[in-house]
Amino acid sequence: DEEQYPKHPDHLVQLETVLQSRVQVYRDLYPPLSEQVYQTQLAEFSRIIRTFLAEEGRYYQETLNRPVYLEASLGMRSDGDGSDIDTDKPIPMRLADGSTVRVRGRVDRIDRVGGTDVPSYIIWDYKTGSAWKYDQQDPFRQGRVVQPAVYMSMVDHRLREAAKRKVAMAQFGFFFPGRRERGRRIQWTPDELSAGPRVITGLANIVPHGAFLATA
């Protein structure tokens, strides 16, 4: 098929149709408290998909990056059609002390970076809420945020395993299409996340030592 990029308003009708069908399913399962509540939430969802479409269209046109895997289930059963790299086997993650933990997760999207000789990838995780706990300069927040490091390790391992060749991870990023952040993106490179194994080693050692720390 001819390659298409996200266009506003060309693809808005398609997204609105998908939204209406999914909302109806959940409305039947979980009836709203009132019609006013329903309409307010529906309007919010509509704003989100408009922001998503506009920002994705801009991203697509400004980069050579293209989505290659959507809703990849790593270490868990596929949800729906899944992706070509899905596996129900937990993914090993090597920690700083030489030990290994096994991790799993469902990755919203993996993009192939255009114009590179070695296959390079960007991981995107969608967030509809606020970005308050994510800091470009402090990706771990003293161990409170480890998803970027875990996902980068997990995806890198699985892509190398599936491709049976060298691959490179370019970035991990959060994308916020919701009302509060209006399409904001926060991204980190592998170098910026290189302390991840050390941070997670510290977290993994807390429980065996009988310490259960209060945090916020």
Side-chain angles (χ1 to χ4, degrees):
D1 295 340
E2 182 180 353
E3 182 176 292
Q4 297 186 28
Y5 65 86
K7 296 180 182 178
H8 190 289
D10 292 18
H11 295 132
L12 183 58
V13 173
Q14 297 178 33
L15 283 181
E16 289 281 6
T17 300
V18 172
L19 174 63
Q20 291 289 346
S21 65
R22 296 304 300 167
V23 165
Q24 188 58 52
V25 170
Y26 280 94
R27 186 177 189 180
D28 292 341
L29 291 173
Y30 311 103
L33 297 176
S34 68
E35 183 63 22
Q36 181 179 1
V37 170
Y38 169 75
Q39 292 298 334
T40 298
Q41 292 182 335
L42 182 60
E44 175 65 15
F45 290 143
S46 182
R47 283 191 293 269
I48 289 174
I49 66 171
R50 288 170 185 269
T51 300
F52 183 91
L53 181 58
E55 292 302 319
E56 283 297 286
R58 182 179 298 109
Y59 170 82
Y60 190 98
Q61 290 183 303
E62 292 177 353
T63 72
L64 297 175
N65 308 337
R66 300 295 181 261
V68 288
Y69 304 109
L70 303 175
E71 294 291 333
S73 299
L74 307 184
M76 57 198 308
R77 291 183 179 179
S78 299
D79 183 20
D81 294 335
S83 76
D84 293 341
I85 61 170
D86 283 13
T87 177
D88 58 2
K89 297 179 181 178
I91 309 297
M93 181 178 180
R94 187 82 166 177
L95 300 185
D97 62 359
S99 64
T100 299
V101 295
R102 297 188 178 276
V103 295
R104 65 178 185 174
R106 183 163 290 123
V107 186
D108 289 335
R109 193 174 96 204
I110 304 171
D111 289 1
R112 170 74 185 267
V113 178
T116 59
D117 294 331
V118 175
S120 300
Y121 299 90
I122 296 177
I123 304 166
W124 287 109
D125 190 74
Y126 305 144
K127 300 292 187 186
T128 57
S130 168
W132 72 269
K133 72 175 183 178
Y134 305 107
D135 187 341
Q136 188 75 59
Q137 305 306 317
D138 181 16
F140 303 108
R141 293 191 68 236
Q142 297 180 316
R144 293 176 178 85
V145 178
V146 296
Q147 183 185 1
V150 170
Y151 272 39
M152 186 166 283
S153 175
M154 182 171 64
V155 171
D156 177 57
H157 180 278
R158 180 58 185 143
L159 288 177
R160 285 189 288 105
E161 182 180 61
K164 294 181 173 58
R165 60 176 295 190
K166 182 179 180 181
V167 303
M169 302 309 300
Q171 288 179 329
F172 174 97
F174 289 120
F175 176 38
F176 300 85
R179 174 177 55 83
R180 294 183 179 181
E181 305 298 340
R182 301 180 180 179
R184 181 181 178 186
R185 297 177 190 266
I186 302 177
Q187 300 163 247
W188 298 277
T189 65
D191 285 346
E192 292 170 321
L193 297 175
S194 61
R198 176 177 58 80
V199 172
I200 297 170
T201 298
L203 294 174
N205 286 332
I206 289 175
V207 175
H209 286 82
F212 296 88
L213 307 178
T215 185

